[in-house]
Amino acid sequence: AQLAHMIEHDEEPRVKIAAAETAGAAKLPRAVAPLLKGLKDERNPSEVRAAFARALGRIGDLKAVDPLLALARIESGEEELREAAIEALGDLGDAKAAEFLTGLFLAQAAEDGPFAAASLEAVLKIAEPGSLALIGRKTQAELVERIRSDDDSDTPVTKLLMDRFEEAVDEEEDRAGRVPKSLAAVFALVAHAN
């Protein structure tokens, strides 16, 4: 109750941020309502609202999906808040968010946007461990093509993809004793692209 009160009523931004971080780390469901209220309150500074978004993602209450989607769609300004909303959507693991995040990633990657890595990371969090099924074959092919055409193979997106594909292959090998053909093919294409 005290954390909820601090989130909702304290005037000091650093106190609100600390309360949100504590609520998120403890996964306190009773903090969801004040976090949602504070997330929507534009009088709160952007860094406070970003902390609220991250806490909501950690708590895992799906009531946060729509407000977070609204923030993730912000086109200009408040980059920290938008990135926190994108990360939180990945933490929530909601399929509705996955579709938006996949589209956001493709748009961001096409124009070297600042949210390409964050949106891909969020999509990959939603996907089951070792699975790239959530982003679909067409999207996987588009990702591979983008990596192949990328002159700088050390971009955050390329590095993230390589790390995730390697983890997925390792996990699938451990689980099944062999790498599924589709995953191995995608991994081989990405590895070859670099």
Side-chain angles (χ1 to χ4, degrees):
Q2 186 176 5
L3 280 177
H5 180 77
M6 291 164 60
I7 289 167
E8 201 164 352
H9 300 291
D10 203 286
E11 295 296 318
E12 182 61 43
R14 62 189 168 98
V15 172
K16 287 184 172 217
I17 291 170
E21 289 172 348
T22 302
K27 299 184 186 290
L28 296 176
R30 66 181 174 269
V32 170
L35 285 168
L36 283 170
K37 185 176 178 183
L39 184 68
K40 295 173 188 176
D41 187 347
E42 293 184 7
R43 293 174 297 177
N44 281 320
S46 188
E47 64 272 11
V48 170
R49 294 173 68 206
F52 289 176
R54 284 189 286 275
L56 286 162
R58 288 185 192 110
I59 293 170
D61 191 312
L62 294 181
K63 285 182 255 179
V65 171
D66 288 331
L68 289 169
L69 278 169
L71 290 175
R73 288 185 170 105
I74 295 171
E75 288 296 322
S76 62
E78 303 200 57
E79 282 81 14
E80 179 186 6
L81 178 56
R82 187 176 187 198
E83 188 164 340
I86 291 165
E87 291 169 9
L89 286 166
D91 290 338
L92 288 173
D94 182 70
K96 179 167 75 170
E99 184 177 332
F100 165 76
L101 291 165
T102 301
L104 177 64
F105 165 70
L106 293 172
Q108 288 285 307
E111 57 193 49
D112 290 326
F115 303 105
S119 55
L120 177 61
E121 179 75 41
V123 169
L124 294 175
K125 281 183 190 176
I126 294 171
E128 291 185 22
S131 170
L132 297 167
L134 194 75
I135 56 176
R137 287 187 186 274
K138 181 179 179 210
T139 304
Q140 288 177 24
E142 289 175 16
L143 295 177
V144 169
E145 189 55 40
R146 288 209 175 118
I147 290 169
R148 282 185 159 169
S149 65
D150 191 352
D151 293 334
D152 182 7
S153 63
D154 289 334
T155 65
V157 170
T158 304
K159 183 173 178 349
L160 177 63
L161 274 173
M162 290 303 297
D163 291 347
R164 289 305 173 107
F165 281 128
E166 288 173 7
E167 289 171 13
V169 168
D170 290 346
E171 190 166 314
E172 287 296 325
E173 284 178 334
D174 290 345
R175 190 179 313 146
R178 60 182 176 76
V179 179
K181 287 182 182 178
S182 61
L183 185 58
V186 172
F187 180 73
L189 286 172
V190 171
H192 178 70
N194 291 312

